Amino acid sequence: MTAPVWDLARLNYEPMQASDLDEVFALEQSVYPYPWTMANFVDSLNSNYEAWVLRERDGHLLGYFLLMAVVDESHLLNVAVSAEKQGQGLGRFLLNQAVACSRGLGMESVLLEVRPSNTRALQIYERYGFKQIGRRKGYYPAANQQREDAIVMRFQV
């Protein structure tokens, strides 16, 4: 079965608002085993980070990303696509938008962290052109009160 072709002109891509947070938080909880807290999202919006949502015309939330600009580098803090829409090109669309946003802000690169166990995300980032540049030991919470490293990746814009 092939993935549907999205008519991106028929989707709503817009800045995340406080009124989006309940849906964003619900999506976050549905796709991540260790999701961000609502406070993480609120703090990101209050800090004026780049935060964007992608919706179908009917308003159904498809995904989002949050990006923090620091000096000459953007940090992709969080990106997610709803579980039922994964594998259909929306993650790549959101990455394209995050890179375009970074470029528009005059950034030279985009940095992110990803769990080694998140092989699907790793493959997406590598196919996109992100390169592994390091590792953060014990960065993420994991099962049984353990910690999981983060692979640090960078994309030159």
Side-chain angles (χ1 to χ4, degrees):
M1 182 170 133
T2 60
V5 176
W6 291 94
D7 180 357
L8 297 177
R10 294 190 160 286
L11 297 176
N12 291 329
Y13 171 71
E14 54 203 14
M16 187 184 296
Q17 306 293 321
S19 58
D20 295 314
L21 290 183
D22 286 338
E23 283 179 283
V24 166
F25 184 61
L27 193 157
E28 173 83 2
Q29 290 182 304
S30 73
V31 297
Y32 287 119
Y34 301 94
W36 270 22
T37 66
M38 178 63 88
N40 292 131
F41 288 104
V42 170
D43 290 346
S44 293
L45 284 185
N46 289 340
S47 296
N48 294 315
Y49 295 160
E50 292 292 327
W52 293 80
V53 294
L54 181 64
R55 294 180 178 281
E56 291 184 274
R57 284 284 187 205
D58 67 4
H60 178 75
L61 181 65
L62 298 170
Y64 56 86
F65 75 84
L66 294 101
L67 188 72
M68 176 179 66
V70 181
V71 186
D72 62 351
E73 183 168 70
S74 292
H75 189 164
L76 185 58
L77 300 171
N78 195 331
V79 59
V81 172
S82 65
E84 68 272 7
K85 302 297 184 183
Q86 290 179 5
Q88 299 180 23
L90 296 174
R92 183 164 186 89
F93 173 80
L94 289 172
L95 281 176
N96 285 340
Q97 297 308 310
V99 167
C101 184
S102 295
R103 193 174 288 123
L105 294 169
M107 301 292 109
E108 296 176 6
S109 61
V110 178
L111 183 81
L112 61 80
E113 293 92 8
V114 61
R115 291 173 182 269
S117 63
N118 191 347
T119 55
R120 186 174 187 181
L122 269 170
Q123 290 172 352
I124 290 167
Y125 298 139
E126 287 171 349
R127 275 196 313 265
Y128 194 89
F130 280 83
K131 304 292 184 212
Q132 294 186 27
I133 62 164
R135 202 167 187 97
R136 298 190 200 282
K137 295 286 185 193
Y139 186 78
Y140 289 112
N144 303 316
Q145 298 181 336
Q146 299 294 307
R147 305 291 298 177
E148 183 175 3
D149 292 351
I151 295 173
V152 182
M153 303 183 85
R154 177 178 287 133
F155 180 82
Q156 297 298 131
V157 298

